[in-house]
């Protein structure tokens, strides 16, 4: 199958890798040669690491790279595509304008998927002429290692489109959970609710962040505690999602004051070196 991935950033290059490893031809499009090349280099590095770890054969690495091409020209990227997956920045206007362009350039029966983590898939679908062939495909970071894809049905999505995307992703080794288009879908809504409550517990002095995290890891089998996860995702990202969910779903999502204070202080988590913990080169430096 011919596929196109729009955006070669953190998510785009990983999604392109997943599709190419599953045997599909992929054209990965970004706005300039440097970004396209950086995406291609990241895929090559992921695959080489897989070979070193004995998880990917040398032959699969080469075959995957052969199926992957880069492009800056949108028309060339989507002209023959059966599926286009969009992974450009999380801005409604940008995504809508990208889909309007893709709509003109792609074949009439092409299926469109967006990797948005929070925007309305229904509103995005309304930017194309066949919204029934539009769906959300919310991959997790990094896409080549995380099994889950949340498949989001827009108001307009038809059953054939849902089945096409779920089958394709499951054949690529992913686990799909299908949800209706509702703010925060399933994962972000529950994830930020737990994270926000953990932050309120820190504010109230229930326990130190490390103790709250350890309790959830040991007691509930969480792979990582809610405060460490907030550091990894980015405090600003979580604040943004809470503000959006508060607007859409009500006061129970009001952001904790401590979260706002830390974001205002530039304490954004792993990427800034400090959030609820201190970090250097992606590693915690304040463990007991
Ligand atoms: N980063 C995550 O952990 C994560 C997880 C799940 C979903 N998402 C979602 O995935 C999407 C992409 O996020 P990201 O973290 O990969 O962002 P990113 O900033 O790393 O990458 C976005 C890329 O899109 C490119 N781009 C901008 N306009 C474009 C256009 N018109 N055509 C093609 N490429 C264009 C940018 O140059 C950039 O390289 C967002 O909707 C985000 O919410 C992100």
């Amino acid at each position: 199958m011919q596929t196109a991935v729009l955006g070669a950033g953190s998510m785009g290059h990983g999604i392109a890798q997943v599709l190419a490893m599953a045997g599909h031809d992929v054209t990965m499009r970004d706005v300039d040669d440097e970004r396209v090349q950086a995406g291609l280099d990241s895929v090559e590095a992921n695959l080489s690491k897989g070979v070193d770890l004995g998880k990917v054969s040398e032959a699969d690495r080469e075959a995957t790279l052969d199926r992957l091409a880069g492009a800056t020209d949108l028309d060339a990227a989507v002209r023959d595509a059966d599926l286009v997956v969009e992974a450009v920045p999380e801005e409604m206007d940008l995504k809508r304008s990208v889909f309007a362009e893709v709509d003109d350039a792609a074949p009439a029966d092409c299926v469109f998927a967006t990797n948005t983590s929070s925007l309305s898939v229904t509103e995005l679908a309304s930017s194309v002429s066949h919204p029934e062939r539009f769906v959300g495909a919310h991959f997790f970071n990094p896409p080549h290692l995380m099994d889950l894809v949340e498949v989001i049905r827009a108001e307009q999505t038809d059953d054939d489109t849902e089945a096409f995307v779920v089958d394709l992703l499951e054949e690529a080794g992913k686990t799909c959970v299908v949800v209706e288009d509702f703010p925060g879908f399933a994962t972000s809504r529950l994830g930020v609710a737990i994270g926000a409550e953990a932050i309120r517990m820190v504010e109230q002095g229930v326990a130190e962040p490390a103790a709250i995290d350890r309790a959830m890891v040991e007691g509930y089998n969480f792979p990582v505690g809610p405060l460490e996860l907030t550091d990894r995702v980015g405090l600003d990202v979580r604040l943004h999602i809470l503000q959006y969910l508060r607007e859409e779903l009500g006061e129970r999502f009001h952001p904790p004051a401590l979260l706002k204070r830390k974001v205002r202080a530039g304490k954004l988590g792993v990427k800034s070196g400090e959030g609820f913990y201190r970090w250097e080169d992606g590693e915690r430096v304040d463990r007991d």
Side-chain angles (χ1 to χ4, degrees), residues 7 9-11 29-30 35 87-88 90 95 98 115 117 139 141:
S10 313
M11 298 303 290
R29 191 253 171 174
D30 209 304
R35 286 177 225 223
V88 308
E90 188 78 344
K95 286 187 193 280
V98 166
N115 185 47
S117 38
F139 287 78
N141 197 2

Side-chain angles (χ1 to χ4, degrees), residues 125-139:
S126 68
S127 57
V128 301
S129 44
H130 287 286
E132 70 279 9
R133 284 201 287 274
F134 195 106
V135 72
H138 180 203
F139 287 78

